[in-house]
Amino acid sequence: RIFYPQDWPFDDGAPPPSQIVEDWLNLLKSKFREEPGCCVAVHCVAGLGRAPVLVALALIECGMKYEDAVQFIRQKRRGAFNSKQLLYLEKYRPKMRLRFKDANGHCCVQ
């Protein structure tokens, strides 16, 4: 199934504005409920800041500690996150909006 992209620009090196976070998490929640097990891709120009922050937010909302989310992403994308983004993720308080499991009992974000 083809999903058409969303465009949520925000400043390079900065954390995302709250409206983008809301839109991102709402998109994930609806996609994973509609089609359990589907994949959602996110990208930015260099793949070091904006996209990793959005992925980290999804992992944190799914129940992962921020440190574990950062480590997991950095294993896949060395050099991800700058100090401002790390501070944002450290202070981020999840509302557990993605804390549901698929049919196999796995978290919606992997």
Side-chain angles (χ1 to χ4, degrees), residues 18-19 21-22 25-26 29 57-64 88 91-100:
S18 58
Q19 187 58 56
V21 173
E22 286 299 312
L25 296 174
N26 286 335
K29 190 173 184 178
L57 289 173
L59 293 171
I60 292 166
E61 283 290 341
C62 198
M64 192 178 276
Y88 169 79
K91 292 179 184 263
Y92 180 79
R93 294 296 167 249
K95 297 176 182 83
M96 299 309 202
R97 289 170 278 197
L98 300 178
R99 192 74 185 252
F100 57 90

Tab-separated table of all heavy atoms in Angstrom, residues 18-19 21-22 25-26 29 57-64 88 91-100:
chain	number	residue	atom	x	y	z
A	18	SER	N	6.112	21.616	18.757
A	18	SER	CA	5.118	20.717	19.359
A	18	SER	C	4.047	20.280	18.360
A	18	SER	O	3.580	19.143	18.420
A	18	SER	CB	4.482	21.355	20.585
A	18	SER	OG	3.878	22.573	20.246
A	19	GLN	N	3.665	21.135	17.413
A	19	GLN	CA	2.642	20.737	16.435
A	19	GLN	C	3.157	19.621	15.517
A	19	GLN	O	2.412	18.711	15.172
A	19	GLN	CB	2.172	21.930	15.596
A	19	GLN	CG	0.999	21.595	14.696
A	19	GLN	CD	-0.214	21.076	15.480
A	19	GLN	OE1	-0.704	21.741	16.375
A	19	GLN	NE2	-0.686	19.880	15.143
A	21	VAL	N	5.402	17.379	16.402
A	21	VAL	CA	5.412	16.178	17.245
A	21	VAL	C	4.011	15.577	17.298
A	21	VAL	O	3.838	14.362	17.118
A	21	VAL	CB	5.928	16.495	18.668
A	21	VAL	CG1	5.777	15.298	19.586
A	21	VAL	CG2	7.383	16.945	18.618
A	22	GLU	N	3.008	16.416	17.514
A	22	GLU	CA	1.622	15.928	17.552
A	22	GLU	C	1.232	15.273	16.233
A	22	GLU	O	0.655	14.179	16.216
A	22	GLU	CB	0.656	17.078	17.868
A	22	GLU	CG	0.693	17.524	19.295
A	22	GLU	CD	0.315	16.441	20.279
A	22	GLU	OE1	-0.713	15.757	20.063
A	22	GLU	OE2	1.050	16.260	21.258
A	25	LEU	N	3.114	11.857	15.761
A	25	LEU	CA	2.604	10.773	16.598
A	25	LEU	C	1.189	10.367	16.196
A	25	LEU	O	0.852	9.187	16.223
A	25	LEU	CB	2.679	11.169	18.068
A	25	LEU	CG	4.106	11.391	18.589
A	25	LEU	CD1	4.081	11.923	20.010
A	25	LEU	CD2	4.951	10.139	18.474
A	26	ASN	N	0.383	11.334	15.786
A	26	ASN	CA	-0.963	11.009	15.300
A	26	ASN	C	-0.896	10.183	14.015
A	26	ASN	O	-1.680	9.248	13.831
A	26	ASN	CB	-1.790	12.273	15.082
A	26	ASN	CG	-2.237	12.885	16.384
A	26	ASN	OD1	-2.362	12.217	17.400
A	26	ASN	ND2	-2.466	14.193	16.365
A	29	LYS	N	0.175	6.629	15.048
A	29	LYS	CA	-0.920	5.952	15.743
A	29	LYS	C	-1.979	5.471	14.756
A	29	LYS	O	-2.407	4.322	14.797
A	29	LYS	CB	-1.534	6.906	16.766
A	29	LYS	CG	-2.498	6.265	17.704
A	29	LYS	CD	-2.904	7.270	18.768
A	29	LYS	CE	-3.807	6.655	19.789
A	29	LYS	NZ	-4.161	7.592	20.849
A	57	LEU	N	11.427	9.990	19.315
A	57	LEU	CA	10.161	10.316	19.971
A	57	LEU	C	9.179	9.156	19.862
A	57	LEU	O	8.475	8.832	20.829
A	57	LEU	CB	9.550	11.580	19.366
A	57	LEU	CG	10.282	12.880	19.691
A	57	LEU	CD1	9.687	14.028	18.891
A	57	LEU	CD2	10.263	13.168	21.180
A	58	ALA	N	9.143	8.529	18.704
A	58	ALA	CA	8.249	7.384	18.523
A	58	ALA	C	8.653	6.240	19.452
A	58	ALA	O	7.799	5.617	20.092
A	58	ALA	CB	8.263	6.925	17.060
A	59	LEU	N	9.935	5.963	19.551
A	59	LEU	CA	10.414	4.894	20.432
A	59	LEU	C	10.114	5.210	21.898
A	59	LEU	O	9.694	4.337	22.658
A	59	LEU	CB	11.911	4.675	20.228
A	59	LEU	CG	12.316	4.106	18.860
A	59	LEU	CD1	13.832	4.154	18.696
A	59	LEU	CD2	11.795	2.706	18.685
A	60	ILE	N	10.310	6.459	22.286
A	60	ILE	CA	10.034	6.876	23.660
A	60	ILE	C	8.540	6.761	23.950
A	60	ILE	O	8.139	6.282	25.007
A	60	ILE	CB	10.558	8.308	23.901
A	60	ILE	CG1	12.097	8.318	23.865
A	60	ILE	CG2	10.036	8.868	25.221
A	60	ILE	CD1	12.716	9.706	23.763
A	61	GLU	N	7.712	7.182	23.012
A	61	GLU	CA	6.253	7.070	23.193
A	61	GLU	C	5.807	5.614	23.275
A	61	GLU	O	4.770	5.310	23.851
A	61	GLU	CB	5.507	7.781	22.065
A	61	GLU	CG	5.487	9.283	22.189
A	61	GLU	CD	4.622	9.798	23.335
A	61	GLU	OE1	3.757	9.069	23.837
A	61	GLU	OE2	4.835	10.956	23.729
A	62	CYS	N	6.606	4.728	22.720
A	62	CYS	CA	6.282	3.303	22.750
A	62	CYS	C	6.776	2.644	24.042
A	62	CYS	O	6.508	1.480	24.274
A	62	CYS	CB	6.893	2.628	21.528
A	62	CYS	SG	6.183	1.040	21.152
A	63	GLY	N	7.493	3.405	24.870
A	63	GLY	CA	7.926	2.879	26.158
A	63	GLY	C	9.419	2.753	26.355
A	63	GLY	O	9.871	2.362	27.430
A	64	MET	N	10.219	3.069	25.340
A	64	MET	CA	11.669	2.958	25.461
A	64	MET	C	12.207	4.171	26.236
A	64	MET	O	11.722	5.278	26.073
A	64	MET	CB	12.281	2.903	24.057
A	64	MET	CG	13.731	2.505	24.034
A	64	MET	SD	14.416	2.401	22.336
A	64	MET	CE	13.909	0.758	21.866
A	88	TYR	N	16.675	17.991	24.482
A	88	TYR	CA	15.234	17.950	24.218
A	88	TYR	C	14.679	16.548	24.511
A	88	TYR	O	13.661	16.400	25.184
A	88	TYR	CB	14.956	18.348	22.770
A	88	TYR	CG	13.539	18.098	22.330
A	88	TYR	CD1	12.517	18.964	22.671
A	88	TYR	CD2	13.233	16.979	21.562
A	88	TYR	CE1	11.207	18.729	22.272
A	88	TYR	CE2	11.927	16.724	21.156
A	88	TYR	CZ	10.923	17.600	21.515
A	88	TYR	OH	9.629	17.357	21.111
A	91	LYS	N	14.551	15.702	28.246
A	91	LYS	CA	13.482	16.394	28.974
A	91	LYS	C	12.082	16.018	28.484
A	91	LYS	O	11.099	16.326	29.152
A	91	LYS	CB	13.669	17.902	28.855
A	91	LYS	CG	14.893	18.397	29.597
A	91	LYS	CD	15.068	19.885	29.432
A	91	LYS	CE	16.336	20.343	30.077
A	91	LYS	NZ	16.148	20.878	31.405
A	92	TYR	N	12.002	15.354	27.344
A	92	TYR	CA	10.703	14.995	26.774
A	92	TYR	C	9.984	14.027	27.702
A	92	TYR	O	10.555	13.049	28.170
A	92	TYR	CB	10.894	14.358	25.393
A	92	TYR	CG	9.607	13.959	24.727
A	92	TYR	CD1	8.810	14.904	24.085
A	92	TYR	CD2	9.170	12.639	24.751
A	92	TYR	CE1	7.619	14.539	23.482
A	92	TYR	CE2	7.975	12.269	24.150
A	92	TYR	CZ	7.209	13.222	23.515
A	92	TYR	OH	6.025	12.860	22.922
A	93	ARG	N	8.718	14.296	27.961
A	93	ARG	CA	7.897	13.427	28.807
A	93	ARG	C	6.810	12.793	27.950
A	93	ARG	O	5.892	13.472	27.501
A	93	ARG	CB	7.267	14.215	29.962
A	93	ARG	CG	8.291	14.743	30.948
A	93	ARG	CD	9.021	13.586	31.649
A	93	ARG	NE	10.199	14.032	32.371
A	93	ARG	CZ	11.436	13.743	32.029
A	93	ARG	NH1	11.704	13.037	30.955
A	93	ARG	NH2	12.442	14.156	32.763
A	94	PRO	N	6.913	11.476	27.727
A	94	PRO	CA	5.946	10.804	26.862
A	94	PRO	C	4.565	10.722	27.493
A	94	PRO	O	4.430	10.701	28.711
A	94	PRO	CB	6.537	9.415	26.672
A	94	PRO	CG	7.359	9.194	27.900
A	94	PRO	CD	7.904	10.553	28.271
A	95	LYS	N	3.592	10.669	26.631
A	95	LYS	CA	2.212	10.466	27.067
A	95	LYS	C	1.762	9.049	26.718
A	95	LYS	O	0.601	8.725	26.808
A	95	LYS	CB	1.310	11.499	26.392
A	95	LYS	CG	1.650	12.924	26.793
A	95	LYS	CD	0.798	13.918	26.026
A	95	LYS	CE	1.169	15.335	26.377
A	95	LYS	NZ	2.304	15.842	25.642
A	96	MET	N	2.711	8.228	26.270
A	96	MET	CA	2.490	6.828	25.910
A	96	MET	C	1.413	6.667	24.845
A	96	MET	O	0.603	5.759	24.893
A	96	MET	CB	2.157	5.983	27.144
A	96	MET	CG	3.252	5.980	28.168
A	96	MET	SD	4.841	5.571	27.425
A	96	MET	CE	5.733	4.996	28.819
A	97	ARG	N	1.426	7.558	23.875
A	97	ARG	CA	0.431	7.537	22.810
A	97	ARG	C	0.612	6.365	21.856
A	97	ARG	O	-0.293	6.019	21.115
A	97	ARG	CB	0.457	8.856	22.046
A	97	ARG	CG	-0.113	9.987	22.885
A	97	ARG	CD	0.125	11.293	22.236
A	97	ARG	NE	1.489	11.708	22.553
A	97	ARG	CZ	1.929	12.933	22.411
A	97	ARG	NH1	1.153	13.857	21.929
A	97	ARG	NH2	3.155	13.255	22.734
A	98	LEU	N	1.786	5.765	21.839
A	98	LEU	CA	2.028	4.638	20.940
A	98	LEU	C	2.214	3.346	21.726
A	98	LEU	O	2.775	2.388	21.219
A	98	LEU	CB	3.264	4.909	20.074
A	98	LEU	CG	3.191	6.137	19.184
A	98	LEU	CD1	4.498	6.314	18.425
A	98	LEU	CD2	2.025	6.058	18.227
A	99	ARG	N	1.737	3.309	22.928
A	99	ARG	CA	1.956	2.154	23.794
A	99	ARG	C	0.870	1.106	23.571
A	99	ARG	O	0.052	0.855	24.418
A	99	ARG	CB	1.966	2.608	25.248
A	99	ARG	CG	2.462	1.572	26.224
A	99	ARG	CD	3.966	1.449	26.103
A	99	ARG	NE	4.453	0.382	26.935
A	99	ARG	CZ	5.133	0.568	28.054
A	99	ARG	NH1	5.399	1.766	28.480
A	99	ARG	NH2	5.545	-0.467	28.733
A	100	PHE	N	0.855	0.535	22.384
A	100	PHE	CA	-0.025	-0.594	22.132
A	100	PHE	C	0.765	-1.632	21.380
A	100	PHE	O	1.780	-1.328	20.784
A	100	PHE	CB	-1.302	-0.183	21.379
A	100	PHE	CG	-1.074	0.501	20.072
A	100	PHE	CD1	-0.982	-0.224	18.896
A	100	PHE	CD2	-0.960	1.892	19.996
A	100	PHE	CE1	-0.766	0.410	17.680
A	100	PHE	CE2	-0.748	2.526	18.788
A	100	PHE	CZ	-0.649	1.800	17.629
